[in-house]
Amino acid sequence: KQMVVIRRLEERSAELYQQGKIGGFLHLYIGQEAVSTGLISARKPEDRVITAYRDHGVAINCGIPAREVMAELLGKETGVSKGRGGSMHLADVTKNFWGGHAIVGAHLPIAAGLAIGDQYQETGGTTICMFGDGATNIGYFHEALNLSKVWNLPVLWVCENNQYGMGTTIDRASAVSTMQQKAAGYGMDSASVDGMDLMKVREASLEALEHIRSGKGPYFLEINTYRFRGHSMGDPERYRKQDEVHKWQENDPIAVYGKYLISKKLATKKDLVEQEGQAEKEVAEAVEFAETSPEPAAETLFDHIYAE
């Protein structure tokens, strides 16, 4: 159900954006749902999560209600960030979700800092840091990975490899086209997994987190996936052929997981249809909640700027 909620929320978000009800940038997670769903299903409550700007699905998997996500996208007072963050800045530290971040790669040093805090306070928590393949060519990436290994920090570095950095393929921008190889430069253990299969992602995530919890230091996990839509809503997608998109869509993560549930006799086709109906109802209610919620009051413009 969770992946269907994300898919339907993203589809409705695209419609609302085209109607002018969502402003700014909008980066959809359609096609990548199995990544954060499998990954976050493996975490413990003390584990922190931090990600980049394609964050709607991550926020929902961390426990932020769909209605609060949708209200934030519409800039409403009832949004998770009270309408001040918008699409790229969903966050709720009470759920140990430390936000989406708009600057490519800039949240990686923050992840290292969160891990230093947990290491110092001996909380037993790990920091799960998600980023795109494009971020691996940014200076922040190398600084953060280097220090995490030098200081043996409890960080799971997750490269959500959707094959493109905006409109540029990996092999045109990166000297190394297999992201997992980049961990070798820091003597870091790593793995690569099929990101279109939720159960494979979950299993790889459990193994990676166990590695970190056992005191073996940081771990690098490359999760290979694909976004079915453009980089953002303003992307004309001239850099890739529709045949390529259709080929990946044949391996839709929602369908893959549905087949798994049926093959293991964990669900029937009727169960899946019912779950889909419940997901559509949840998203419809989220849209209604967001559209009828109030705008932030003008007198609150300077609230939440400084920490108390």
Side-chain angles (χ1 to χ4, degrees):
K1 177 187 170 185
Q2 199 80 334
M3 285 200 290
V4 180
V5 168
I6 296 168
R7 176 71 58 89
R8 297 292 173 262
L9 182 138
E10 295 293 60
E11 290 170 345
R12 290 304 309 275
S13 296
E15 293 172 9
L16 292 166
Y17 188 90
Q18 290 165 338
Q19 293 168 13
K21 294 179 180 180
I22 295 176
F25 291 96
L26 186 71
H27 304 84
L28 302 178
Y29 207 55
I30 295 174
Q32 301 182 212
E33 297 93 345
V35 178
S36 65
T37 307
L39 178 66
I40 293 167
S41 74
R43 80 155 173 168
K44 293 182 178 180
E46 62 267 28
D47 296 333
R48 306 174 191 272
V49 177
I50 188 168
T51 191
Y53 45 78
R54 203 177 302 278
D55 60 347
H56 310 163
V58 182
I60 289 172
N61 279 318
C62 283
I64 297 176
R67 62 194 331 218
E68 292 184 20
V69 171
M70 187 60 80
E72 187 60 37
L73 297 182
L74 269 66
K76 297 300 184 75
E77 176 66 30
T78 53
V80 66
S81 299
K82 299 186 182 297
R84 288 161 167 77
S87 170
M88 297 189 283
H89 302 99
L90 303 173
D92 187 345
V93 299
T94 67
K95 293 178 170 57
N96 241 344
F97 177 47
W98 294 80
H101 294 259
I103 306 301
V104 176
H107 64 294
L108 275 75
I110 298 173
L114 293 170
I116 290 170
D118 282 327
Q119 184 185 69
Y120 182 75
Q121 297 179 69
E122 299 181 349
T123 64
T126 64
T127 294
I128 299 169
C129 179
M130 304 172 67
F131 50 90
D133 46 282
T136 66
N137 300 317
I138 302 295
Y140 294 127
F141 170 83
H142 301 283
E143 294 171 11
L145 261 72
N146 182 61
L147 280 181
S148 73
K149 183 62 177 178
V150 170
W151 292 337
N152 209 45
L153 300 179
V155 187
L156 174 55
W157 301 112
V158 180
C159 179
E160 197 166 7
N161 184 356
N162 66 13
Q163 316 305 313
Y164 289 91
M166 292 188 71
T168 306
T169 57
I170 296 167
D171 53 7
R172 291 187 64 191
S174 178
V176 175
S177 59
T178 303
M179 301 299 102
Q180 181 187 357
Q181 285 183 269
K182 297 191 177 187
Y186 302 100
M188 194 178 298
D189 289 331
S190 64
S192 182
V193 66
D194 176 6
M196 308 306 274
D197 189 321
L198 184 149
M199 292 307 296
K200 288 180 180 177
V201 174
R202 175 176 163 78
E203 289 164 13
S205 301
L206 286 167
E207 290 178 13
L209 288 167
E210 179 55 36
H211 173 281
I212 296 166
R213 292 190 216 286
S214 66
K216 295 178 181 177
Y219 194 93
F220 186 97
L221 182 60
E222 177 183 11
I223 304 181
N224 292 293
T225 185
Y226 195 84
R227 52 175 169 77
F228 294 170
R229 301 288 184 93
H231 169 71
S232 67
M233 285 297 293
D235 181 2
E237 293 190 74
R238 296 193 184 103
Y239 51 85
R240 65 182 186 181
K241 296 180 180 178
Q242 283 304 301
D243 287 349
E244 177 186 305
V245 179
H246 294 154
K247 185 177 179 181
W248 279 87
Q249 286 176 328
E250 291 173 3
N251 200 28
D252 189 300
I254 295 174
V256 169
Y257 187 53
K259 289 176 183 175
Y260 168 84
L261 291 174
I262 291 171
S263 69
K264 296 292 183 181
K265 293 183 168 45
L266 297 171
T268 64
K269 287 186 179 180
K270 182 181 177 183
D271 293 331
L272 297 180
V273 170
E274 288 178 357
Q275 288 284 307
E276 186 164 335
Q278 291 174 19
E280 289 179 355
K281 182 181 178 183
E282 184 177 332
V283 172
E285 291 174 349
V287 173
E288 182 180 4
F289 171 79
E291 291 197 301
T292 57
S293 290
E295 301 278 348
E299 59 268 22
T300 67
L301 180 62
F302 296 102
D303 291 353
H304 313 295
I305 293 175
Y306 298 104
E308 294 180 3

